[in-house]
Amino acid sequence: MGGDGGGRGEDRSAAVRAEESVSGGVDVDVWSDAVSSQAPDHLLVMVHGILGSTADWQYAANEFVKQLPDDVIVHCSEKNTSMLTLDGVDVMGERLANEVLDVISRRPELTKISFLAHSMGGLAARYAIAKLYRHPDSASDGNTKGTICGLEATNFITVATPHLGSRGNKQVPLLFGSVAMEKVACHVVHWIFRRTGRHLFLTDDDEGQPPLLQRMVEDHDDLYFISALRAFKRRVVYANADCDHIVGWRTSSIRRNTELPELPVSSSEKYPHIVHEEFSEEIDDDKCQDCMTECDMDVLEEKMVTGLRRVSWEKVDVSFHSSMTSFAAHSIIQVKYAFMNEGADVIQHIIDHFQLC
């Protein structure tokens, strides 16, 4: 890895390599061109959003391997590109889980795993880790939380992900908070976004079961949604507090309306678009039930909020209100396009707070 790039005119600080995967496709692994004799043992899986591609995370991937050259291997997910993202959260999650298994099988040096997912990719990642979760062998080995496919689960990070779906008041700001427009969207969204649209607007009814996103807030059959999340040392949500016309602040930050904070103007030179940070502690089942009893919000949404609050979360609120390209906040926060790099400070914040072990 580190020594075979000499004489080829490659950047010594980082290298991007595309190698042929077992399935015959292109498997994009990004790693440092480090001088260390040992390969990094920490796999970071980056997952793009709806109608996306591996290129969506290219800026962040290169920054990670440039700044953490001996610590991480970055794999940009490639099995759910473009129209494949319309097949449903569960199908995307199954594909992602199989893809991760394939990557792990070819890299026996790996001991740790983290995820960084944008938008819909965060839901696919939550489904995938539920498939990949392994119960601890015994309490005596010191691991009482389980693993992700035998690897130590470290960071689970989502960026502008609709954790509570897209149904309800202002969950999709593009609909301007209009109840009538939101009701119409629930009935027609599957015409455009097919099965994924049904999952996002909670209108799916597979064999009489509750909506998938509701099922994804607890361990369900052989899918360990909450146990898998709990296995990670840290869970982080980055949320656009404004200007994101695709995913609302409440759904991306897993909050009730009453919990949305007042936002100060950022005073940080290093992270000018980070406007608020907080730590949301894990709430036990009894308190969760009390919250549901006292709450007057949408019952289904409240079930998802309380279910996801059974684990702790770091919450980072972002604002591009003063940006010339604020209309594209949903993409800027990820630095999806090189010519819109105002979200570079958000990526830097992710890297600076990334737990390596």
Side-chain angles (χ1 to χ4, degrees):
M1 286 186 183
D4 63 1
R8 299 182 186 178
E10 297 175 338
D11 182 351
R12 293 295 299 175
S13 65
V16 179
R17 171 178 168 180
E19 60 183 28
E20 195 164 317
S21 67
V22 174
S23 61
V26 176
D27 178 22
V28 182
D29 278 341
V30 185
W31 64 83
S32 73
D33 194 17
V35 296
S36 172
S37 59
Q38 290 188 329
D41 64 352
H42 193 152
L43 173 65
L44 171 57
V45 180
M46 293 187 174
V47 190
H48 60 74
I50 200 164
L51 300 176
S53 72
T54 57
D56 293 355
W57 274 119
Q58 197 61 59
Y59 174 83
N62 283 323
E63 287 301 308
F64 259 94
V65 297
K66 182 170 68 177
Q67 298 185 40
L68 303 174
D70 297 317
D71 298 308
V72 296
I73 293 173
V74 179
H75 174 79
C76 296
S77 176
E78 59 179 353
K79 299 301 184 184
N80 283 305
T81 58
S82 190
M83 298 296 286
L84 293 177
T85 59
L86 306 183
D87 292 340
V89 173
D90 51 354
V91 174
M92 290 175 63
E94 291 269 5
R95 291 194 194 114
L96 178 59
N98 290 332
E99 180 179 7
V100 171
L101 286 171
D102 178 51
V103 173
I104 292 173
S105 70
R106 292 180 287 107
R107 299 194 177 279
E109 72 275 13
L110 294 174
T111 63
K112 295 180 282 292
I113 189 169
S114 292
F115 286 79
L116 174 57
H118 177 248
S119 194
M120 265 290 302
L123 299 178
R126 279 174 50 199
Y127 195 97
I129 63 173
K131 293 286 293 184
L132 297 170
Y133 176 74
R134 302 290 182 268
H135 291 286
D137 293 331
S138 67
S140 60
D141 64 3
N143 179 7
T144 59
K145 293 185 177 181
T147 66
I148 300 300
C149 200
L151 303 183
E152 182 180 357
T154 311
N155 306 271
F156 188 85
I157 307 167
T158 65
V159 178
T161 288
H163 288 286
L164 310 180
S166 301
R167 189 185 80 172
N169 183 33
K170 297 184 179 179
Q171 297 290 41
V172 181
L174 188 64
L175 300 178
F176 304 107
S178 167
V179 175
M181 290 180 68
E182 288 172 351
K183 285 183 177 179
V184 171
C186 284
H187 292 292
V188 303
V189 68
H190 64 280
W191 295 350
I192 304 171
F193 296 112
R194 302 195 317 220
R195 196 159 175 268
T196 296
R198 292 188 184 276
H199 287 155
L200 284 174
F201 278 81
L202 313 174
T203 58
D204 55 303
D205 181 21
D206 296 337
E207 299 179 355
Q209 296 189 85
L212 178 61
L213 295 193
Q214 179 185 338
R215 285 178 272 149
M216 285 175 58
V217 301
E218 60 186 2
D219 292 347
H220 196 274
D221 296 330
D222 60 344
L223 292 166
Y224 300 97
F225 294 111
I226 290 299
S227 292
L229 280 173
R230 187 173 286 121
F232 285 84
K233 292 185 176 180
R234 59 192 295 258
R235 292 151 298 279
V236 193
V237 290
Y238 284 78
N240 277 317
D242 49 32
C243 303
D244 190 327
H245 303 296
I246 309 300
V247 176
W249 185 16
R250 198 169 78 244
T251 186
S252 57
S253 64
I254 316 177
R255 289 187 179 109
R256 303 173 181 88
N257 261 331
T258 56
E259 295 172 334
L260 296 174
E262 293 290 332
L263 295 179
V265 176
S266 176
S267 59
S268 171
E269 292 185 7
K270 188 174 185 180
Y271 313 119
H273 298 108
I274 304 294
V275 293
H276 181 78
E277 298 179 61
E278 69 181 47
F279 180 76
S280 175
E281 294 185 353
E282 175 180 336
I283 299 177
D284 62 36
D285 287 345
D286 290 338
K287 288 185 178 179
C288 283
Q289 290 301 320
D290 291 341
C291 289
M292 290 184 63
T293 302
E294 297 169 2
C295 185
D296 60 358
M297 66 185 290
D298 179 274
V299 173
L300 185 51
E301 183 177 316
E302 178 60 23
K303 286 181 179 179
M304 290 185 288
V305 172
T306 55
L308 289 171
R309 293 285 291 275
R310 289 185 170 94
V311 295
S312 62
W313 293 90
E314 297 172 39
K315 299 183 178 182
V316 184
D317 298 306
V318 178
S319 175
F320 293 103
H321 181 73
S322 60
S323 168
M324 291 286 290
T325 53
S326 60
F327 63 90
H330 192 66
S331 296
I332 293 175
I333 195 173
Q334 182 192 18
V335 192
K336 183 175 181 178
Y337 306 111
F339 63 90
M340 290 183 178
N341 64 354
E342 290 187 74
D345 63 311
V346 179
I347 301 301
Q348 190 60 54
H349 189 276
I350 294 172
I351 295 172
D352 289 345
H353 293 79
F354 191 81
Q355 189 166 331
L356 292 171
C357 57

